[in-house]
Amino acid sequence: MAKRIDDLKVVGNKRITNDLFILVLSGNDKLPDFKPGQFVQARADGSHDTFLRRPLSIHDVDYDQNTFKLLIQVAGKGTFALSKLRAGDYLNLVYPLGNSFTLPDKNDRVLLVGGGCGAAPLLFLGKHLKSNGYTPNILLGFRNSDRIIEIDEYNETGNVFLTTEDGSKGEKGYVTSHSVLYNRRYDRVYCCGPDSMMKAVADYCRKHNINCEVSLENLMACGIGVCLCCVVDTVKGNLCTCIDGPVFNIKDLKW
Ligand SMILES: Cc1cc2nc3c(=O)[nH]c(=O)nc-3n(C[C@H](O)[C@H](O)[C@H](O)COP(=O)(O)OP(=O)(O)OC[C@H]3O[C@@H](n4cnc5c(N)ncnc54)[C@H](O)[C@@H]3O)c2cc1C
Ligand code: FES
């Protein structure tokens, strides 16, 4: 898919908590056919510390409105600069980047597992699965109920199950201890979130012979396969997370 570099208009910046927000961006031209799992590289203007673009997943796409969303957690100066954008501002992006999740086989029982802001690509993936005739189970974990993101949208996409670390909503604990992971059988699991969570889910899937794809969030600089700073050691050799990923099947990872 051809890459674009474009100034996109910010049409909204929805604050969820003091460190979580959703940017809604409008395309100048018709948006490309994004694939779930793909990401953008955003230029966060502001200081020399934010010279490198920041990778962010496509969170949701509305082709009727010609808009898409980025779900962002403030981690440092780049994401802080992005949090200050307001409707009417412009954000320079290189997009769409990376590979995508693969569709399950017909009749596969599907589970999506996401933790916190790491779950960003799962809403678009869930909608894509739904439009292809699947009704996935969606297991989402958050620190507490204030940080639950876009739950109504997820509910329209599949059967949602929640965990919170403080027990304020859903089962108390981490997604990796939720009963819906252990008490039901799955053929296909898609997972995004912190590495430790993805590794635990990958272990479970390996043990139970479940086809599983994870989306890696390795540090990136160029985002286009040039600098090699995002290399991941796989059974197929060293691969770039930015162009060979970010989505990998766990059978290819040396976890
Ligand atoms: C393919 C991909 C998709 C991503 N999607 C999203 C998304 O949808 N929403 C979102 O909020 N974040 C996402 N991230 C993470 C995001 O890119 C980083 O949080 C961001 O680049 C940090 O920039 P900063 O200037 O704010 O912080 P920095 O000052 O650069 O770093 C602050 C802290 O965050 C850590 N950090 C930096 N980059 C990453 C990273 N890639 N993964 C984990 N920790 C990091 C640093 O080690 C440091 O501790 C994604 C990363 C990748 C590789
Ligand atoms: S970020 Fe430069 S090669 Fe992947």
Side-chain angles (χ1 to χ4, degrees):
M1 190 185 290
K3 313 279 171 263
R4 298 182 187 182
I5 177 164
D6 230 346
D7 287 319
L8 288 131
K9 189 171 185 178
V10 177
V11 292
N13 180 349
K14 180 179 163 198
R15 179 68 55 172
I16 295 159
T17 61
N18 59 356
D19 64 335
L20 278 176
F21 60 100
I22 293 175
L23 283 185
V24 186
L25 302 166
S26 166
N28 303 320
D29 304 315
K30 187 174 170 298
L31 291 176
D33 281 330
F34 289 119
K35 296 185 201 149
Q38 288 190 308
F39 65 100
V40 304
Q41 279 274 71
R43 195 174 74 200
D45 288 323
S47 78
H48 59 273
D49 293 327
T50 54
F51 170 73
L52 294 172
R53 288 172 181 272
R54 281 7 186 206
L56 300 161
S57 305
I58 308 283
H59 175 54
D60 195 11
V61 184
D62 183 337
Y63 289 109
D64 293 336
Q65 298 293 325
N66 206 40
T67 59
F68 63 98
K69 291 182 189 168
L70 305 174
L71 165 63
I72 305 174
Q73 178 162 7
V74 176
K77 287 188 177 163
T79 44
F80 180 75
L82 297 177
S83 76
K84 297 291 167 203
L85 290 169
R86 294 288 168 261
D89 291 341
Y90 283 84
L91 175 62
N92 187 272
L93 296 184
V94 180
Y95 69 103
L97 299 171
N99 66 353
S100 66
F101 295 101
T102 56
L103 271 183
D105 293 334
K106 196 167 174 262
N107 301 325
D108 270 1
R109 291 158 297 185
V110 179
L111 176 68
L112 276 50
V113 186
C117 182
L122 292 186
L123 182 59
F124 184 37
L125 172 64
K127 289 188 175 180
H128 183 72
L129 291 172
K130 190 169 184 201
S131 66
N132 280 280
Y134 300 91
T135 307
N137 281 353
I138 304 171
L139 172 56
L140 300 171
F142 301 97
R143 229 179 284 156
N144 57 52
S145 57
D146 292 342
R147 302 179 72 82
I148 294 176
I149 301 155
E150 310 242 276
I151 199 64
D152 295 339
E153 300 252 28
Y154 281 108
N155 275 324
E156 286 172 20
T157 307
N159 310 308
V160 178
F161 302 85
L162 295 175
T163 61
T164 48
E165 289 172 34
D166 65 355
S168 48
K169 192 93 183 179
E171 287 188 17
K172 184 172 180 182
Y174 296 115
V175 281
T176 43
S177 56
H178 196 288
S179 50
V180 79
L181 179 60
Y182 298 102
N183 294 346
R184 304 194 191 185
R185 294 182 62 81
Y186 298 101
D187 305 294
R188 191 59 97 119
V189 170
Y190 301 95
C191 181
C192 321
D195 265 12
S196 53
M197 180 270 256
M198 291 197 289
K199 283 179 179 163
V201 171
D203 276 352
Y204 179 81
C205 290
R206 274 208 186 89
K207 265 188 212 131
H208 295 83
N209 204 18
I210 301 169
N211 194 330
C212 174
E213 291 180 348
V214 294
S215 180
L216 300 188
E217 288 200 359
N218 289 17
L219 290 177
M220 289 185 183
C222 71
I224 51 170
V226 177
C227 70
L228 304 185
C229 85
C230 65
V231 160
V232 56
D233 183 20
T234 74
V235 296
K236 297 174 176 170
N238 285 336
L239 295 177
C240 284
T241 307
C242 63
I243 50 171
D244 303 307
V247 178
F248 290 90
N249 195 298
I250 58 164
K251 68 179 169 25
D252 293 332
L253 294 174
K254 293 185 177 174
W255 282 0

